[in-house]
């Protein structure tokens, strides 16, 4: 039985009931097979007898004379044939006839498609599947292709790693640009609303004159830096959360100003309270953002100090240092064959030891680390998974990252991972509830390593943290205003360990040096 692959590419959509075009981004599986970024394209791949390579036909729309005045047209067939590694390029009008000819020459063919009834994938023309089904000796199935593609995409080749490396380099520089804009303001004595006045009061501020006083301004600087280097898309909606809003994991509002307060107690007796000078209150700014490069993603989080002269307040500094310890514990384990569950557990163990050192966990807890982990209380502070696969999507290949039983939907733990009923060894199941990756690592996998500590009132209340007896509530209150700290890097698993593809530094000395304007 000869396998035949038939896939549709993404179309340029419009917003709801309007002709306002949405930004086009190719469907990832289609791009993986074709490298084609042309909207409304199709691909037909047919296995050949013997050792011959498959015949791959790419179909792209013909340029429409009425559309050329509005939009960039598809490339000519000859240009597309030069830029794509395919057997033949035709216009989409030839798809049905080509499919009919291919199937007639291959009795017993099995046509593989992506899930046809799912709104998650571009739809194939009904006539194409009807033509295939009309052949008595041809079958059509959508059961196998998606799983096969996701398993193939789980590990990356050298070309893919190079694209991910480029995306990370661009995003790393964008993170540093935000930090340096913050540091520039500190060096020049930022006060609320004190953007430098342009020489001509009637003109807007130029980018070199921008300051960052709110989340939206930090996002704008980040995205502008990526765009300036040639990145077309962000890999996901940037998360730019200041102060306690950093406790919300996917905070994408990015619409609040930084917190401000009096410069010092010396101004307390100021005659006009409204005129009293204000300075930034010490707080964290968590930025989780990354661009794509040729559709391959990056995903970087940096938590930086705002206020306090660009230095962390003592509580925030202690939490940040602990998250760095958690990430170091994870890095120490990364190599082929290590189960991701074990790396997750190592981070929770580091959290327990750190909380004991800070006094958040009561004295004596350190002597019963396994019991604390078995209780699940650490999941209230570190609720999410340590990381995920990354590639053409930021949360890449979910079907291959965490396998589920097709009947029950239950997670199938591959290899030596955490299983229910083994809390004494692996800790409470809540430590693994939100993992996007649950399998042994393999050479060529690209994953994020993103531990975090959060003081979310919702999570602490839901877990009964204050009533647990494990936590010293008075000490905990000194840290709750930190909000949250996360540090995230992208790594590729190598034969003997890993390589960090994220280049922006995260050590406290460098971070504070840049954010204070010293470096």
């Amino acid at each position: 039985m000869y396998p035949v692959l038939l896939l549709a590419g993404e179309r340029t959509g419009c917003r709801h009931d309007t002709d306002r075009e949405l930004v086009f981004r190719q469907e990832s599986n289609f791009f993986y097979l074709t490298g084609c970024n042309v909207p409304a394209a199709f691909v037909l791949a047919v296995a050949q007898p013997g050792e011959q390579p498959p015949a791959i036909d790419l179909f792209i729309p013909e340029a429409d004379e009425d559309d050329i005045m509005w939009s960039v047209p598809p490339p000519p067939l000859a240009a597309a044939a030069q830029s794509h590694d395919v057997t033949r390029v035709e216009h989409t009008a030839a798809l049905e006839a080509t499919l009919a000819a291919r199937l007639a020459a291959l009795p017993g063919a099995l046509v593989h498609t992506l899930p046809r009834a799912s709104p998650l994938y571009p739809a194939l023309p009904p006539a194409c599947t009807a033509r295939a089904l009309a052949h008595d000796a041809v079958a059509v199935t959508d059961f196998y292709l998606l799983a096969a593609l996701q398993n193939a995409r789980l590990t990356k080749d050298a070309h893919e790693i190079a694209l991910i490396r480029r995306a990370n380099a661009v995003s790393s520089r964008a993170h540093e640009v935000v930090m340096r804009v913050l540091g520039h303001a500190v060096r020049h004595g930022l006060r609320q609303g004190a953007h430098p006045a342009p020489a001509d009061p009637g003109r807007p501020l130029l980018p070199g004159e921008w300051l960052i006083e709110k989340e939206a301004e930090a996002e704008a600087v980040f995205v502008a830096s990526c765009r300036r280097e040639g990145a077309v898309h962000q890999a996901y909606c940037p998360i730019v959360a200041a102060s306690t809003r950093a406790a919300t994991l996917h905070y994408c509002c990015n619409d609040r100003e930084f917190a401000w307060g009096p410069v010092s107690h010396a101004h307390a007796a100021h005659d006009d309270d409204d005129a009293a000078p204000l300075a930034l209150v010490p707080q964290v700014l968590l930025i989780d953002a990354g661009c794509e490069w040729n559709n391959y993603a990056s995903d970087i989080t940096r938590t930086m100090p705002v206020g306090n002269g660009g230095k962390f307040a003592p509580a925030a500094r202690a939490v940040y240092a602990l998250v760095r310890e958690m990430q170091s514990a994870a890095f120490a384990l990364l190599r082929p064959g290590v189960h991701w569950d074990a790396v997750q557990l190592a981070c929770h163990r580091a959290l327990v030891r750190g909380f004991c050192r800070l006094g958040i966990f009561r004295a004596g807890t350190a002597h019963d680390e396994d019991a604390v982990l078995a209780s699940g209380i650490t999941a209230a502070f570190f609720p999410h998974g340590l990381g995920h696969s990354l590639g053409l999507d930021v949360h890449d290949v979910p079907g291959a990252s965490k396998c589920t039983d097709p009947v029950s939907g239950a997670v199938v733990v591959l290899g030596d991972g955490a299983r229910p009923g083994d809390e004494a060894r692996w800790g409470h199941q809540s430590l693994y509830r939100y993992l996007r990756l649950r399998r042994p690592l393999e050479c060529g996998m690209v994953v994020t390593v993103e531990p975090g500590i959060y003081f979310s009132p919702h999570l602490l209340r839901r877990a009964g943290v204050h009533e647990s007896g494990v936590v010293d509530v008075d000490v905990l209150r000194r840290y709750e205003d930190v909000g949250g700290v996360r540090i995230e890097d992208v790594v590729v698993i190598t034969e003997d360990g890993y390589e960090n593809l994220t280049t922006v530094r995260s050590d406290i000395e460098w971070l504070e040096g840049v954010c204070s304007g010293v470096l």
Side-chain angles (χ1 to χ4, degrees), residues 109-427:
L110 179 60
V111 180
H112 296 272
T113 71
L114 293 174
R116 298 194 301 280
S118 172
L120 301 178
Y121 306 98
L124 288 165
C128 287
T129 51
R131 183 176 293 277
L133 290 168
H135 284 260
D136 292 337
V138 172
V140 180
T141 178
D142 60 6
F143 188 77
Y144 303 101
L145 181 57
L146 179 61
L149 282 169
Q150 292 207 353
N151 277 285
R153 288 171 51 192
L154 182 67
T155 55
K156 277 65 180 178
D157 62 23
H159 174 69
E160 293 177 290
I161 292 170
L163 294 174
I164 297 171
R165 189 190 306 277
R166 181 69 179 271
N168 273 271
V170 172
S171 298
S172 289
R173 286 189 287 271
H175 277 277
E176 184 173 342
V177 166
V178 174
M179 297 174 194
R180 292 198 177 278
V181 173
L182 290 170
H184 177 80
V186 172
R187 192 168 65 247
H188 290 84
L190 174 65
R191 292 290 183 267
Q192 189 174 29
H195 282 264
D200 176 4
R203 72 163 174 83
L205 293 172
L206 300 178
E209 300 167 324
W210 290 354
L211 299 179
I212 297 175
E213 299 180 79
K214 57 185 75 170
E215 295 162 348
E217 291 172 338
E219 178 184 7
V221 169
F222 183 93
V223 174
S225 179
C226 294
R227 207 65 183 91
R228 184 174 177 273
E229 291 206 39
V232 176
H233 300 292
Q234 293 294 298
Y236 52 99
C237 293
I239 298 165
V240 185
S243 187
T244 55
R245 295 181 292 281
T248 301
L249 303 183
H250 283 179
Y251 174 91
C252 295
C253 307
N254 308 347
D255 60 356
R256 300 287 295 278
E257 294 189 10
F258 296 163
W260 294 80
V263 171
S264 70
H265 294 297
H267 299 284
H270 202 285
D271 292 336
D272 183 359
D273 288 340
D274 291 336
L278 298 176
L280 287 167
V281 171
Q283 60 203 284
V284 299
L285 175 62
L286 186 156
I287 301 181
D288 184 338
C291 70
E292 289 185 347
W293 193 266
N294 198 20
N295 293 339
Y296 279 85
S298 61
D299 187 358
I300 302 171
T301 305
R302 289 295 180 265
T303 305
M304 58 203 73
V306 170
N308 197 40
K311 304 291 183 69
F312 286 112
R317 199 176 209 270
V319 174
Y320 187 95
L322 177 51
V323 175
R324 283 262 298 172
E325 290 179 25
M326 293 165 66
Q327 192 184 49
S328 294
F331 285 156
L333 293 177
L334 298 183
R335 60 185 181 278
V338 172
H339 202 289
W340 194 247
D341 287 3
V343 190
Q344 174 85 2
L345 180 61
C347 288
H348 278 273
R349 288 193 181 278
L351 186 151
V352 173
R353 292 191 290 270
F355 271 20
C356 290
R357 186 174 64 247
L358 296 176
I360 296 175
F361 284 172
R362 292 186 180 278
T365 303
H367 301 299
D368 207 353
E369 186 178 292
D370 290 338
V372 174
L373 294 170
S375 75
I377 195 170
T378 56
F381 299 95
F382 175 33
H384 58 77
L386 175 63
H388 49 80
S389 180
L390 179 137
L392 281 167
D393 294 297
V394 67
H395 294 156
D396 207 34
V397 294
S401 299
K402 185 171 67 173
C403 298
T404 56
D405 183 278
V407 177
S408 68
V411 173
V412 178
V413 180
L414 301 176
D416 186 19
R419 288 175 168 79
D422 198 7
E423 283 76 10
R425 178 185 175 195
W426 287 98

Side-chain angles (χ1 to χ4, degrees), residues 36-39 58 60-63 72-81 83-84 89 91:
C36 177
N37 268 320
V38 178
L58 179 65
I60 61 175
E62 188 171 5
V72 176
L77 294 181
S83 59
H84 295 83
V89 180
H91 287 134

Side-chain angles (χ1 to χ4, degrees), residues 180 183-184 186-187 309-311 509-519:
R180 292 198 177 278
H184 177 80
V186 172
R187 192 168 65 247
K311 304 291 183 69
E509 293 72 23
W510 181 85
L511 199 60
E512 290 187 335
V514 172
C515 291
S516 66
V518 173
L519 297 180

